[in-house]
Amino acid sequence: MNMYEPLDQTFFEAPVLELAKRLVGQLIVHETPNGLIVARIVETEAYHGPEDRAAHSYGNRRTKRTEIMFDEPGYVYTYQMHTHTLMNVVCGPRGIPHAVLLRAAEPVEGLHLMQENRGEKLKMKDWTNGPGKLSKALGVTMHYYGHRWTEQPLFLAKGSETLEIETGPRVGIGNSGEAVHYPWRFFEKDNPYVSKYRP
DNA sequence: GATTCGATTCTA
DNA sequence: AGAATCGAATCA
């Protein structure tokens, strides 16, 4: 079919901070009806479940939305915010609701499809440099809630080694007390597709 | 009704 | 650079 092989389940079995860091540089592969779309992850954020005020699962909050985070690592957690879909990788052993948000990636294959999904007028740099933009460019919707990142047609594959990974505070979580400052955002140094930081 | 792990389009 | 606007899901 294509040359991309899904990552093994064991890849996801790691502490959430380590997984978030490890995900930078890996590939998101989406086999769409119109063709293959591949993007290389350049930015992630870790969400530390019960003790993290910025997490949806803070205090073990268990709702229809957060339910999937209580399952095994490797599930797709998508959720809708405003008009956008955001993609997460479920982490932590079963019962521990950790997750990693995929914030940005650089286009690798299926460029014309991404441009189609994002609009002809936009510069390539603006296709995938934010979590909502990334989902739209890849054609990922709420349909994939509960899918596994190890299975077609949407999966993660081994990417290239990253040059250098930097850390910093997470984006858009202003009202989260001390958690605001935690350096749980991971991104590749000097990569132009990293999202713009907004305080 | 208010808030949220955003994005786009306007105004300047 | 900043304000205005969009509006799904969730929680008060």
Side-chain angles (χ1 to χ4, degrees):
Chain A
M1 186 58 184
N2 64 63
M3 59 178 170
Y4 299 101
E5 288 293 326
L7 289 171
D8 191 79
Q9 169 65 20
T10 58
F11 176 88
F12 301 94
E13 295 168 358
V16 65
L17 292 177
E18 188 183 324
L19 180 62
K21 184 174 181 181
R22 187 188 287 183
L23 279 167
V24 177
Q26 309 302 333
L27 304 174
I28 310 171
V29 181
H30 191 196
E31 297 163 339
T32 77
N34 298 327
L36 188 65
I37 301 180
V38 181
R40 178 174 171 276
I41 300 170
V42 299
E43 180 181 5
T44 66
E45 279 178 5
Y47 284 85
H48 204 275
E51 308 85 26
D52 182 0
R53 277 193 51 182
H56 292 152
S57 52
Y58 175 59
N60 282 313
R61 218 147 39 95
R62 191 161 186 160
T63 65
K64 188 180 171 194
R65 177 169 71 162
T66 63
E67 184 65 34
I68 195 67
M69 284 195 275
F70 290 85
D71 213 309
E72 293 176 348
Y75 277 100
V76 176
Y77 169 38
T78 51
Y79 70 91
Q80 201 82 24
M81 101 149 290
H82 298 282
T83 54
H84 310 284
T85 303
L86 277 66
M87 293 184 290
N88 297 259
V89 180
V90 172
C91 181
R94 180 189 291 276
I96 309 295
H98 292 174
V100 177
L101 170 66
L102 304 181
R103 283 197 58 86
E106 62 178 328
V108 175
E109 282 198 42
L111 302 188
H112 62 291
L113 294 173
M114 288 194 239
Q115 180 163 40
E116 227 169 76
N117 290 339
R118 293 283 296 129
E120 297 295 329
K121 290 186 174 181
L122 290 173
K123 302 274 186 190
M124 180 167 165
K125 193 172 79 72
D126 294 317
W127 292 352
T128 52
N129 61 343
K133 302 176 190 180
L134 177 59
S135 302
K136 187 164 187 198
L138 295 181
V140 172
T141 65
M142 286 300 293
H143 170 73
Y144 283 105
Y145 182 94
H147 177 73
R148 296 197 54 80
W149 282 112
T150 52
E151 292 174 15
Q152 298 175 335
L154 176 67
F155 59 90
L156 296 175
K158 181 160 180 56
S160 54
E161 293 305 311
T162 54
L163 308 175
E164 191 176 340
I165 296 178
E166 289 196 68
T167 63
R170 294 172 293 179
V171 178
I173 56 166
N175 193 15
S176 302
E178 275 306 302
V180 171
H181 308 296
Y182 298 168
W184 289 354
R185 173 172 177 248
F186 299 85
F187 54 98
E188 186 172 65
K189 181 176 164 62
D190 295 330
N191 189 295
Y193 294 94
V194 171
S195 74
K196 187 168 173 262
Y197 183 73
R198 51 188 176 80

